Amino acid sequence: MNTRIYIVIGIILLNILFPFLAKHIKYFLFKKRRNTFLKLLYSRVYKIGIPLLLLIDINAFFWYFDFENFKSIKFFINLFLLSWLFYEVIKYFIYTAISIKVTQKKRVRRELFHLIINLAKVFIALIVFVSVLSFYGVNITAIITSLGIGGVIIGLAAKDTLSNFFDSIRLISSDAIHVGDWIETRDFEGFVTEIGLTYTQIRTFDNSLIVIPNTKLANDWVRNWSRRLIGRRIKFWVKIKYTLDIDEVNRVINEIRQMLISHPMIVTDRKIETIKNKLHKNNLFILEDKYGVRKTLLVYLDEFDEYSMNILVYAFSITIDWEGWLKVKQDVLLKVLEIIKNSKLELAYPTSVIFHDERKNLWKE
């Protein structure tokens, strides 16, 4: 038997054994099911093996049968499989980086990895385009050199697209918004579902989808409600009727303050001390501003209104989740009502007094 036959037999055996080997590699890597790195490693290696195996098969087929008249078909098939292989290799490195961050319990920025994948797609498409032109004998250098005014025109036409592309990089690199964040701008409010190369998708609270150019998002103010670690504000005034019983007013104010301090879901210095020690490793920044930690707790007689004395209650809930925050706020309000109920004070409300003079013949002619 000649060398060709041995090579063909080897390739056939490789195709037959590939699923078997992949299956046993999977069992080997999945012995520790909690190991995310090994799971992702197997998933990407298996997907890399498919285009690689097809690439070997196609080239062996054309080599064995010596199809000289089908060079263009062979070229396009190889170009497609190489692009597929290159794309899967890039995704392998990206998924490996993600898995390492997950195992180290670090934050994974999905939009950054999506940007790299999208840039890889553009890069691969550009290589394919240049390769096709070169295959048909087009002088790429001459085309680049002769662009001149035409290149300027194309550049001006694509100005907005390029601007959106660079603004998407600016958005991601500035770490201003992440996928999943609740943001608010001048015109809309919702959750970020995707940060693309030229646009960002926002899912609003009425479940509609907004697609906004990255240039507009990058050059307008954006309020990010999700970028806080601890502390969602609870602020209201307790309106009580006017009284000269100052001792009772002070007692109620102190009781409300103690209730907030002892509340398990209200932020205080003691409750965030562990987080402070973990995150505040140096004095180069203020912990509250960098990570979004708020612990202000205020209960004071704030103002004299037209019909009431107003006690300001100002605190932050530990949870930043909307529903969780509503539950904490409701509990605080009910406890304040209970304190007022058990005191000598009364809640105030707008009232008007009408004086009626019953004297007769008040006006005489």
Side-chain angles (χ1 to χ4, degrees):
M1 296 177 69
N2 57 24
T3 307
R4 278 195 176 192
I5 299 298
Y6 286 120
I7 293 174
V8 170
I9 293 173
I11 293 172
I12 292 173
L13 288 173
L14 180 62
N15 281 269
I16 294 172
L17 293 175
F18 179 74
F20 176 79
L21 291 172
K23 183 179 179 180
H24 282 76
I25 291 172
K26 179 179 180 180
Y27 288 150
F28 174 75
L29 293 177
F30 276 30
K31 283 181 180 179
K32 297 180 180 179
R33 295 184 179 276
R34 293 183 181 179
N35 196 322
T36 308
F37 175 79
L38 293 180
K39 290 182 180 181
L40 291 172
L41 175 66
Y42 167 75
S43 175
R44 302 320 311 172
V45 169
Y46 182 75
K47 290 186 177 181
I48 289 172
I50 295 174
L52 183 61
L53 186 62
L54 289 174
L55 196 64
I56 295 171
D57 291 344
I58 292 297
N59 282 278
F61 176 79
F62 278 95
W63 169 75
Y64 184 79
F65 291 102
D66 198 18
F67 288 144
E68 292 292 334
N69 298 327
F70 297 95
K71 287 184 178 180
S72 58
I73 296 175
K74 179 184 175 183
F75 169 78
F76 283 107
I77 293 175
N78 279 329
L79 185 61
F80 169 75
L81 291 175
L82 284 171
S83 301
W84 182 7
L85 178 63
F86 184 59
Y87 178 64
E88 292 297 340
V89 169
I90 291 174
K91 288 179 71 175
Y92 163 73
F93 284 110
I94 291 173
Y95 276 70
T96 301
I98 292 174
S99 67
I100 291 171
K101 284 184 172 289
V102 168
T103 53
Q104 294 175 349
K105 296 182 179 180
K106 293 182 178 179
R107 186 180 65 183
V108 178
R109 294 193 60 191
R110 289 177 290 172
E111 61 276 2
L112 180 60
F113 293 106
H114 288 158
L115 176 65
I116 296 172
I117 289 175
N118 288 329
L119 288 174
K121 289 178 182 178
V122 173
F123 181 66
I124 291 170
L126 184 62
I127 290 177
V128 169
F129 178 70
V130 172
S131 300
V132 170
L133 291 180
S134 298
F135 179 76
Y136 284 108
V138 178
N139 192 335
I140 305 298
T141 306
I143 291 176
I144 295 173
T145 306
S146 61
L147 279 175
I149 298 175
V152 174
I153 295 172
I154 293 172
L156 290 173
K159 182 182 67 173
D160 291 339
T161 301
L162 291 173
S163 178
N164 284 320
F165 169 72
F166 286 113
D167 280 327
S168 70
I169 297 176
R170 184 153 64 97
L171 276 174
I172 294 173
S173 61
S174 65
D175 202 28
I177 60 175
H178 295 172
V179 173
D181 283 355
W182 165 20
I183 66 170
E184 178 186 355
T185 68
R186 296 179 192 276
D187 304 316
F188 59 85
E189 183 178 3
F191 292 97
V192 179
T193 60
E194 181 183 348
I195 303 176
L197 286 178
T198 58
Y199 63 87
T200 296
Q201 293 185 0
I202 310 294
R203 179 69 64 179
T204 62
F205 292 125
D206 59 2
N207 207 25
S208 62
L209 186 68
I210 295 177
V211 179
I212 181 171
N214 285 330
T215 297
K216 179 175 175 57
L217 197 61
N219 293 286
D220 198 0
W221 65 263
V222 177
R223 178 176 292 170
N224 194 326
W225 293 101
S226 298
R227 298 302 297 279
R228 48 190 172 185
L229 184 62
I230 287 179
R232 184 161 179 170
R233 188 174 67 175
I234 297 173
K235 179 182 179 182
F236 59 90
W237 282 267
V238 181
K239 297 179 181 292
I240 59 174
K241 288 183 180 180
Y242 275 100
T243 179
L244 294 178
D245 193 344
I246 298 174
D247 292 336
E248 184 67 5
V249 172
N250 279 325
R251 189 191 70 77
V252 168
I253 290 173
N254 289 329
E255 192 171 344
I256 294 173
R257 185 180 294 112
Q258 290 304 315
M259 179 272 293
L260 292 173
I261 292 172
S262 60
H263 197 291
M265 294 305 294
I266 295 297
V267 183
T268 59
D269 279 322
R270 187 191 304 174
K271 292 170 189 172
I272 64 170
E273 195 63 37
T274 305
I275 298 173
K276 250 185 179 179
N277 294 335
K278 186 182 294 185
L279 298 179
H280 203 188
K281 297 177 181 178
N282 53 59
N283 295 319
L284 297 177
F285 57 84
I286 299 174
L287 172 70
E288 287 82 356
D289 294 333
K290 181 173 178 61
Y291 292 103
V293 175
R294 286 289 179 267
K295 57 183 178 58
T296 308
L297 195 155
L298 304 170
V299 184
Y300 290 100
L301 182 61
D302 186 44
E303 60 185 0
F304 294 121
D305 207 345
E306 292 182 1
Y307 62 89
S308 64
M309 302 166 62
N310 299 338
I311 298 173
L312 171 66
V313 178
Y314 190 99
F316 285 85
S317 68
I318 290 177
T319 178
I320 62 172
D321 174 68
W322 186 31
E323 186 176 2
W325 170 79
L326 286 173
K327 290 179 180 177
V328 175
K329 184 179 179 181
Q330 174 182 266
D331 189 56
V332 168
L333 288 169
L334 292 175
K335 281 182 168 59
V336 169
L337 286 176
E338 187 69 24
I339 291 171
I340 300 297
K341 178 183 175 182
N342 296 327
S343 71
K344 297 177 183 178
L345 305 181
E346 295 182 45
L347 292 176
Y349 51 87
T351 58
S352 58
V353 180
I354 300 175
F355 294 95
H356 178 64
D357 196 335
E358 295 183 351
R359 290 177 295 172
K360 296 181 178 179
N361 302 321
L362 185 62
W363 299 98
K364 294 183 179 180
E365 295 183 0

